C-alpha cells in the first residue's frame, strides 16, 4: 500500500483520501490517462504489469491484493 500511496500522492491526491476502501474511479476520479500512468508507475516500481481497466471500479485494497498475489513468494 505504501508504494501505491506514494504514487497517488505524486499525482496530487491528498494522503488523507488514500485508504484501502477508496475507489479508484468513484472516489479519486482518475481518468483513463491517469489510470495508465498509475499502471506504468506500478510496473516501474514493483515490476508488476497490472491491467486497470475502466469498466469496473476497484478499491485500492483490491489493487494491493492483486499486486501481492502476483509477486513471487519471498523465501525466508
Amino acid at each position: 500500500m505504501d508504494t501505491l500511496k506514494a504514487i497517488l500522492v505524486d499525482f496530487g491526491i491528498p494522503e488523507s483520501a488514500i485508504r484501502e476502501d477508496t475507489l479508484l474511479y468513484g472516489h479519486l476520479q482518475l481518468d483513463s490517462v491517469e489510470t495508465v500512468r498509475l499502471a506504468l508507475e506500478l510496473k516501474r516500481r514493483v515490476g508488476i504489469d497490472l491491467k486497470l481497466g475502466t469498466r469496473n471500479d476497484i478499491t485500492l485494497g483490491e489493487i494491493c491484493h492483486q499486486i501481492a498475489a502476483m509477486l513471487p513468494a519471498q523465501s525466508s
Side-chain angles (χ1 to χ4, degrees):
M1 183 72 168
D2 293 336
T3 302
L4 182 57
K5 184 182 285 190
I7 294 168
L8 292 171
V9 168
D10 287 348
F11 284 7
I13 296 170
E15 192 170 338
S16 62
I18 302 170
R19 299 183 319 270
E20 284 200 26
D21 63 342
T22 300
L23 291 167
L24 199 60
Y25 309 109
H27 295 137
L28 299 181
Q29 301 293 308
L30 295 185
D31 63 23
S32 59
V33 173
E34 292 167 321
T35 304
V36 169
R37 283 182 50 214
L38 175 61
L40 290 172
E41 195 60 26
L42 283 169
K43 185 173 184 174
R44 187 180 75 77
R45 294 188 190 191
V46 186
I48 298 296
D49 190 12
L50 195 62
K51 303 295 182 211
L52 298 173
T54 57
R55 293 181 188 245
N56 297 317
D57 213 349
I58 186 171
T59 66
L60 300 182
E62 290 170 327
I63 292 172
C64 290
H65 289 299
Q66 286 182 16
I67 292 169
M70 296 172 83
L71 287 174
Q74 301 293 322
S75 56
S76 309

